[in-house]
Amino acid sequence: VSEVGEFGLIDVVAGMVAAGEKKGEAWDRLIVGIGDDAAAWHSEPGIQLATIDALVQDVHFRLGMISWEELGWKSLAVNLSDIAAMGGLPRYALVSLALPQNTDVRDIVLFYQGMLTLARQFEVAVVGGNISLAPVVTVNVAVLGSTKGPGGRLLKRAAARPGDKVAVTGSLGGAAGGLEMLERGLEFDTESTAALRRAFLRPFPRVKEARILVTKGVKAGIDISDGLVSDLSHICEASRLGATIQTDLIPVAQSLNANFGPKAADMALSGGEDYELLFTAPAHVVEAAATALEGRGCGVTVVGEMTLTGDTAVTLLDENGQEFTPATSGWDHFGAEKHGA
Amino acid sequence: VSEVGEFGLIDVVAGMVAAGEKKGEAWDRLIVGIGDDAAAWHSEPGIQLATIDALVQDVHFRLGMISWEELGWKSLAVNLSDIAAMGGLPRYALVSLALPQNTDVRDIVLFYQGMLTLARQFEVAVVGGNISLAPVVTVNVAVLGSTKGPGGRLLKRAAARPGDKVAVTGSLGGAAGGLEMLERGLEFDTESTAALRRAFLRPFPRVKEARILVTKGVKAGIDISDGLVSDLSHICEASRLGATIQTDLIPVAQSLNANFGPKAADMALSGGEDYELLFTAPAHVVEAAATALEGRGCGVTVVGEMTLTGDTAVTLLDENGQEFTPATSGWDHFGAEKHGA
């Protein structure tokens, strides 16, 4: 960083953003991007969404395990996933990067390349941020989103109803498998290695899938960042309901099943950071949503049910319908926790 | 932190926000606050503003020098000032707090007390955020604002015109004096000590004053975070103009003049973090704005002029109209730099 100074860095970032494609509603509405005291755009009718998330070196990632390009991608992806989990479209991103003095400018360029590649796919405009010094790399990204139009509907944690089916998109546990592979230096075939690494370091937010859920009438949802059990318990608490999970139904990631044997099922149950959608709705709504998503190549699996019980616990059932306690107790993605946005 | 766990902390914060007063348009429009994947509100017609800023321990502050309550206040204040610098009204705040494992929960409560006290004054709703671990205290706050209504006008760095007068609100250098007092353990009379400390650690963002500037027809402005010369040079670069400052006209903070002698003028010229407004407009517009602001007890001082020159440099003139170079070369608030929001 010290080579070019911080103003130099800002110019580099502004130049990268300026050189990129500027397609879509966010760019069309933009009045002031990077280079003033705040970003400014013509507001969109409907509901505005906002979220912020932090990735801290040696807490959420290790520089030896993630490339700068992947770090840029993932920092934005986790926030896009939060907007998706509300049923919204991401529009604008602000990026606060805190870096050690000796950070190489080329690494920052790679970071932004990764982030801007993902941003372009969802027509998200990176419109500002700041760069400061810090003892460890700390990335904070805030994303603003929209439900588009005045009739905008939301996916809320608090909207589950008793009898709702509990369903998930895609497959689970890949990110946990990727973490374990990288931390323990495990060696698998090329395809598995790539799939597990991608699942953990380059998650693809389910923005379009969430929009389809909303149009099909789904009202309750969350993204799986803490793990299936943990995130379902967030829905339970917010909706004041219980839930059951039929653990034999959980869609375990193929690369996980192939390489982690009997541990795979537990990892799919408790592993976090898959950024799949977890949603609840009456059976016929889930069916309609599943048909629509499967038409786009995204699987949907019913894994359980919302229940009217005294407490808000998640009950795990084995293939015989018997309650059981899993071997692992939950996902510790080194200590981060969200509170609401 | 480890005493109550991170979910416990989130509950503490949510409880503090819930217990506070919820008055004003931001709260009225709010649909989902703390406790879901993202905050959601009914969007406001007009222009939407967004900014993010970081305060990193031992880079922007030292825990021995700032109280937790002041840290909470200042983390929000610097962002409100950025919204003010665009002529907007702050509406919503997202708070990302990264803390060492051994942080005392009572300190986090004090942090939020400081922040919520300021938020209430401007009817800003704290609607989400996250808490993670980190080796040092790192605060990131993102603030969303509005220009209120479809005819909303902005203060932009790029809107200065040749011949515009350059003016500042309030007085300068108090924050630099406060920093020096605290860092060097200087002892002054009670009143000066309080004023200097407050200027540095508890800045009051000029939100209402900026709105008045806009209604009086001012179009170009910035807040003074890096220092008068540095921030005026941002306006120069964005507007592709030069500027002169008549240094003898600079309104030096009283507590600075009283205690720092001949150094005071240089500190007012180059010291940052005063969070006063620096704006440019034709003389009659500045006059009308000054009259309106002075009616509210906020002084306005013309300190220079925008000029049509070959480069975008800021030229300093002494009391005889002679160019000179100041003793200090600029404010180093330990290395932070903004890029646009």
Side-chain angles (χ1 to χ4, degrees):
Chain A
V1 167
S2 40
E3 305 154 50
V4 295
E6 282 150 17
F7 278 113
L9 260 188
I10 291 165
D11 288 344
V12 169
V13 173
M16 290 179 69
V17 171
E21 199 185 21
K22 292 181 195 62
K23 203 161 62 77
E25 191 142 358
W27 288 110
D28 292 348
R29 290 179 176 273
L30 189 65
I31 304 167
V32 179
I34 293 176
D36 213 312
D37 294 289
W41 61 87
H42 295 288
S43 77
E44 205 170 342
I47 294 170
Q48 180 83 25
L49 300 165
T51 185
I52 191 168
D53 218 344
L55 294 185
V56 182
Q57 182 184 345
D58 299 331
V59 176
H60 304 90
F61 65 89
R62 294 191 222 287
L63 282 181
M65 262 168 57
I66 192 168
S67 72
W68 281 91
E69 192 271 346
E70 287 163 334
L71 182 60
W73 174 289
K74 186 165 177 175
S75 310
L76 181 60
V78 300
N79 281 287
L80 300 190
S81 183
D82 276 325
I83 298 294
M86 299 298 288
L89 287 166
R91 296 295 197 206
Y92 299 97
L94 303 173
V95 184
S96 175
L97 205 48
L99 301 162
Q101 184 80 50
N102 63 356
T103 308
D104 193 322
V105 177
R106 285 167 298 188
D107 289 337
I108 300 168
V109 169
L110 290 171
F111 173 90
Y112 272 97
Q113 279 174 355
M115 178 173 286
L116 294 175
T117 301
L118 179 61
R120 241 179 334 262
Q121 296 199 36
F122 290 102
E123 300 182 346
V124 168
V126 174
V127 290
N130 68 76
I131 297 177
S132 18
L133 291 176
V136 295
V137 177
T138 307
V139 188
N140 272 271
V141 177
V143 171
L144 294 313
S146 161
T147 58
K148 199 169 186 172
R153 283 165 294 178
L154 293 173
L155 289 178
K156 288 196 265 193
R157 295 183 182 183
R161 296 287 167 266
D164 273 4
K165 296 295 177 193
V166 173
V168 296
T169 59
S171 66
L172 300 179
L179 171 62
E180 191 152 333
M181 176 184 79
L182 292 168
E183 286 224 306
R184 292 175 48 201
L186 305 177
E187 292 190 11
F188 304 130
D189 63 278
T190 317
E191 203 182 319
S192 292
T193 303
L196 291 169
R197 183 178 182 98
R198 194 172 52 240
F200 181 46
L201 298 180
R202 218 179 151 89
F204 199 82
R206 294 288 198 183
V207 172
K208 283 167 190 168
E209 293 80 0
R211 297 287 293 176
I212 293 172
L213 293 186
V214 166
T215 60
K216 294 297 173 187
V218 177
K219 297 191 173 94
I222 192 171
D223 66 328
I224 301 184
S225 52
D226 297 331
L228 175 59
V229 176
S230 188
D231 287 312
L232 182 53
S233 78
H234 294 324
I235 289 186
C236 287
E237 283 153 27
S239 299
R240 295 164 196 269
L241 293 173
T244 56
I245 296 178
Q246 260 182 273
T247 53
D248 57 316
L249 298 182
I250 293 172
V252 181
Q254 206 184 342
S255 50
L256 195 70
N257 256 333
N259 296 292
F260 287 86
K263 269 182 66 180
D266 269 356
M267 290 166 80
L269 191 62
S270 307
E273 304 205 17
D274 283 318
Y275 300 103
E276 293 291 349
L277 297 169
L278 169 64
F279 62 98
T280 90
H284 70 278
V285 172
V286 172
E287 245 167 74
T291 306
L293 287 196
E294 277 152 12
R296 289 181 44 94
C298 169
V300 169
T301 311
V302 172
V303 297
E305 201 169 291
M306 300 305 297
T307 58
L308 195 59
T309 57
D311 63 6
T312 56
V314 175
T315 306
L316 302 180
L317 304 175
D318 67 15
E319 64 274 29
N320 303 314
Q322 300 297 308
E323 277 190 39
F324 83 104
T325 309
T328 53
S329 65
W331 175 249
D332 173 18
H333 45 158
F334 315 94
E337 215 38 81
K338 301 274 300 175
H339 65 279
Chain B
V1 168
S2 40
E3 306 154 49
V4 295
E6 281 149 14
F7 277 114
L9 260 189
I10 291 165
D11 288 344
V12 169
V13 174
M16 289 178 71
V17 171
E21 198 185 21
K22 292 182 194 59
K23 202 162 62 74
E25 191 143 357
W27 287 110
D28 291 348
R29 290 179 175 274
L30 189 66
I31 304 166
V32 179
I34 293 175
D36 213 309
D37 294 289
W41 61 86
H42 295 289
S43 76
E44 203 170 342
I47 294 170
Q48 181 84 25
L49 300 165
T51 185
I52 192 168
D53 217 343
L55 294 185
V56 182
Q57 181 184 344
D58 299 332
V59 175
H60 304 90
F61 65 89
R62 296 190 220 287
L63 282 180
M65 261 168 56
I66 192 168
S67 74
W68 282 90
E69 192 270 347
E70 287 163 333
L71 182 60
W73 173 289
K74 186 164 177 175
S75 311
L76 181 60
V78 300
N79 281 287
L80 300 191
S81 182
D82 276 325
I83 297 294
M86 299 297 288
L89 287 165
R91 296 294 198 208
Y92 298 98
L94 304 173
V95 185
S96 175
L97 206 49
L99 302 162
Q101 185 80 49
N102 63 356
T103 308
D104 193 321
V105 176
R106 284 167 299 188
D107 290 336
I108 301 167
V109 169
L110 290 172
F111 172 90
Y112 273 97
Q113 279 174 355
M115 179 174 287
L116 294 174
T117 301
L118 179 60
R120 243 182 330 265
Q121 296 199 35
F122 290 102
E123 300 182 347
V124 168
V126 174
V127 290
N130 67 76
I131 297 177
S132 17
L133 291 178
V136 295
V137 176
T138 308
V139 189
N140 272 270
V141 177
V143 171
L144 294 315
S146 161
T147 58
K148 199 169 188 174
R153 282 165 295 179
L154 294 173
L155 288 178
K156 289 196 265 192
R157 295 184 183 183
R161 296 288 168 265
D164 273 5
K165 295 296 175 191
V166 174
V168 295
T169 59
S171 65
L172 300 179
L179 170 63
E180 191 150 334
M181 175 184 79
L182 292 168
E183 286 224 305
R184 293 175 48 202
L186 306 177
E187 291 188 13
F188 304 129
D189 63 279
T190 318
E191 202 183 319
S192 292
T193 303
L196 291 168
R197 183 179 181 98
R198 192 171 56 240
F200 182 45
L201 299 179
R202 217 178 152 89
F204 199 81
R206 295 287 197 184
V207 172
K208 284 166 188 168
E209 292 80 1
R211 297 288 292 176
I212 292 172
L213 293 186
V214 167
T215 59
K216 294 298 174 187
V218 176
K219 297 192 173 92
I222 192 171
D223 65 329
I224 301 183
S225 52
D226 297 331
L228 175 59
V229 175
S230 188
D231 287 312
L232 182 54
S233 76
H234 294 323
I235 288 186
C236 287
E237 283 153 26
S239 299
R240 295 163 196 269
L241 293 173
T244 55
I245 296 178
Q246 258 182 276
T247 53
D248 57 317
L249 299 182
I250 294 173
V252 181
Q254 205 184 344
S255 50
L256 195 70
N257 255 333
N259 296 291
F260 287 86
K263 270 183 67 178
D266 269 356
M267 292 167 78
L269 190 62
S270 307
E273 305 205 18
D274 282 319
Y275 300 103
E276 293 291 348
L277 297 170
L278 169 63
F279 63 98
T280 89
H284 69 279
V285 173
V286 172
E287 243 166 76
T291 305
L293 287 196
E294 278 153 13
R296 290 181 43 94
C298 170
V300 169
T301 311
V302 172
V303 297
E305 199 169 294
M306 300 306 296
T307 56
L308 195 59
T309 56
D311 62 7
T312 57
V314 174
T315 305
L316 301 181
L317 304 175
D318 66 17
E319 65 274 29
N320 303 315
Q322 299 297 309
E323 277 190 40
F324 83 103
T325 310
T328 53
S329 65
W331 175 248
D332 173 19
H333 44 157
F334 315 98
E337 217 36 81
K338 300 275 299 174
H339 65 278

